[in-house]
Amino acid sequence: MKYIYIFIIFFILLSTSCSKREKDFPDSIFSTTLELSQSDFNIEEKDLAQIEGIHCNDSVLIVLDFHSGDSYTLFDINSGKIIRRFGAIGQGPNEIPLGTYGYIEDKYFYLFYDQIGYIGKYSIDSLCNTKSISHPHRLAKYQLEETQLSRAISLNDSIFLGAGTYKSKFQYTLFNKYNNILDYGIEIYNSNSKDFNKYHKFLSNQGNLKKRPNRNQFVYSLNFSSNLDIVEINNNKIHLIKSLHFANPNYQPVSNDNLNRVIPSKENIIGYLDICATKEYIYALYADKKRFTDNKSNNYNSDTILVFDWNGNPIRKLKLTNEAYYICINEDRQMLYAAVIDASYGWSIISYKL
């Protein structure tokens, strides 16, 4: 009889171990893995500077690379040839601050910069016309009380969804260009922590926000975590579709001389590096590895992409031939583009057929 009890205890421990692994690591819930092969496309090192993001539609690819005094480089997605550089860095009326975030939807390239509360957009058609000078059009210059935003995305030219912190408690804020807060919701993971002040809470809840094309649905990945939210806006209200919270980030809050920081634990995973939203799926570049190995910092890259549908269901895992830092998807052409560091330690962009 005692052997039966030993077997039962062993089975319980094994089940608990498996449950913990699945809870902590989202890639364990994917039953299908597809290995992708590199296709015939390449943007070479000489055409790029320091890459901080890539974005595309069916005709162009835009790289955030701070090249020659401009924030962005525009490429033809078919040939890989440069069309132009744009987004002059500065404080002038037709310039954008260093570090301005951007994303493509339809025929526009949208801009966001939280430190001055700026939201704007470029016409991609205008950018492609190299004979004309293209300037960004400002949509809003917001000032929102008790709100700090990591990202903001336009629902239209006057209403925006922000992700960050509101009242040091909520992750999402819906607001308009007149600085009216229309709705807020979804508690941050450390909302009740007494160890984190309002600045620590904002710094520990930054991430990457993307919009489903032509739908008011959004996905937000939290930095240094395995947490992903899918939300929807209906009648100016924020609704949670699915929270995929596998592992919260592990931060140490620090305050010195009015300087607030949060420091990820050495044991903390890198987690989500980049996400891309298409009409059908969410593609998440995910690194299931710790920040430090053998006291050396890991490169923040991965060859693994997790694919979810817009209800948060796991679809498949994709494996790349190269470790990527950023990704974007051309859904019409069924192509995936990845920013990588090549053999000569320079940046390049390669493509894969989905």
Side-chain angles (χ1 to χ4, degrees):
M1 180 67 71
K2 68 177 182 179
Y3 294 108
I4 295 176
Y5 288 135
I6 291 171
F7 175 78
I8 292 172
I9 291 170
F10 174 77
F11 180 78
I12 292 171
L13 290 173
L14 181 62
S15 300
T16 303
S17 175
C18 291
S19 297
K20 187 178 187 304
R21 171 71 190 180
E22 182 168 317
K23 177 69 176 172
D24 289 344
F25 297 92
D27 62 341
S28 65
I29 66 175
F30 291 83
S31 59
T32 302
T33 299
L34 178 63
E35 295 187 1
L36 301 183
S37 299
Q38 188 174 330
S39 66
D40 255 352
F41 176 89
N42 188 58
I43 293 177
E44 298 179 0
E45 175 186 348
K46 65 181 179 62
D47 295 328
L48 299 163
Q50 174 68 38
I51 295 181
E52 299 290 344
I54 59 175
H55 316 272
C56 67
N57 62 13
D58 60 352
S59 60
V60 299
L61 188 146
I62 296 176
V63 180
L64 171 58
D65 67 342
F66 309 120
H67 199 298
S68 306
D70 291 308
S71 286
Y72 297 99
T73 306
L74 179 69
F75 294 91
D76 181 282
I77 206 165
N78 297 309
S79 66
K81 301 298 184 183
I82 292 177
I83 298 173
R84 73 189 303 171
R85 306 196 195 278
F86 69 97
I89 299 170
Q91 302 297 322
N94 294 315
E95 297 174 325
I96 61 175
L98 180 67
T100 298
Y101 165 79
Y103 66 94
I104 292 177
E105 185 174 15
D106 293 330
K107 294 186 177 183
Y108 293 96
F109 184 65
Y110 289 86
L111 302 171
F112 164 75
Y113 188 72
D114 185 56
Q115 291 188 30
I116 60 172
Y118 174 79
I119 299 173
K121 68 179 182 179
Y122 282 96
S123 162
I124 292 178
D125 287 342
S126 179
L127 288 172
C128 289
N129 182 1
T130 56
K131 295 181 180 179
S132 67
I133 299 174
S134 184
H135 298 307
H137 170 64
R138 191 178 80 182
L139 300 176
K141 193 166 186 181
Y142 62 85
Q143 291 182 318
L144 304 171
E145 294 184 2
E146 299 185 275
T147 304
Q148 294 177 288
L149 299 182
S150 174
R151 292 285 191 267
I153 285 185
S154 302
L155 278 73
N156 52 49
D157 284 357
S158 61
I159 298 178
F160 316 96
L161 178 69
T165 55
Y166 175 65
K167 294 187 175 181
S168 299
K169 188 175 180 67
F170 299 100
Q171 189 83 81
Y172 306 104
T173 308
L174 188 68
F175 62 98
N176 64 22
K177 65 181 181 180
Y178 306 108
N179 293 316
N180 299 317
I181 293 177
L182 307 177
D183 194 25
Y184 56 88
I186 319 302
E187 283 197 29
I188 57 177
Y189 76 95
N190 56 353
S191 63
N192 296 318
S193 174
K194 295 181 180 178
D195 296 328
F196 288 73
N197 63 29
K198 65 179 182 180
Y199 303 108
H200 296 141
K201 288 181 179 178
F202 166 63
L203 293 171
S204 59
N205 280 279
Q206 296 187 77
N208 198 342
L209 181 68
K210 293 292 175 70
K211 181 177 181 292
R212 187 177 187 179
N214 306 121
R215 297 278 293 274
N216 286 334
Q217 293 181 340
F218 303 82
V219 56
Y220 186 64
S221 62
L222 196 64
N223 292 343
F224 295 113
S225 83
S226 298
N227 292 356
L228 200 73
D229 283 343
I230 303 171
V231 300
E232 185 172 26
I233 310 300
N234 284 325
N235 298 319
N236 287 343
K237 294 294 182 183
I238 300 169
H239 302 278
L240 179 66
I241 296 175
K242 187 73 171 285
S243 278
L244 297 165
H245 285 193
F246 295 94
N248 293 329
N250 184 3
Y251 287 108
Q252 175 65 42
V254 177
S255 296
N256 293 317
D257 300 323
N258 295 321
L259 177 64
N260 294 281
R261 296 179 296 153
V262 291
I263 302 173
S265 161
K266 290 183 179 180
E267 297 299 308
N268 206 95
I269 61 166
I270 293 174
Y272 291 109
L273 295 165
D274 199 11
I275 52 175
C276 183
T278 70
K279 294 174 184 176
E280 285 193 80
Y281 300 121
I282 297 161
Y283 294 80
L285 181 64
Y286 181 80
D288 180 10
K289 55 186 176 181
K290 295 178 181 179
R291 292 182 60 244
F292 291 87
T293 301
D294 298 328
N295 296 320
K296 294 182 180 180
S297 178
N298 273 324
N299 287 324
Y300 285 71
N301 56 15
S302 176
D303 63 357
T304 301
I305 296 173
L306 309 180
V307 185
F308 302 90
D309 68 20
W310 281 94
N311 290 314
N313 299 311
I315 302 301
R316 65 183 65 90
K317 187 184 340 181
L318 305 179
K319 298 296 285 187
L320 308 180
T321 57
N322 299 70
E323 300 272 344
Y325 292 80
Y326 304 98
I327 59 170
C328 66
I329 307 288
N330 181 334
E331 193 169 29
D332 290 341
R333 294 167 57 88
Q334 284 295 288
M335 297 294 293
L336 182 150
Y337 301 88
V340 303
I341 290 180
D342 59 27
S344 61
Y345 300 99
W347 285 97
S348 65
I349 296 175
I350 60 177
S351 69
Y352 297 87
K353 184 69 176 177
L354 291 173

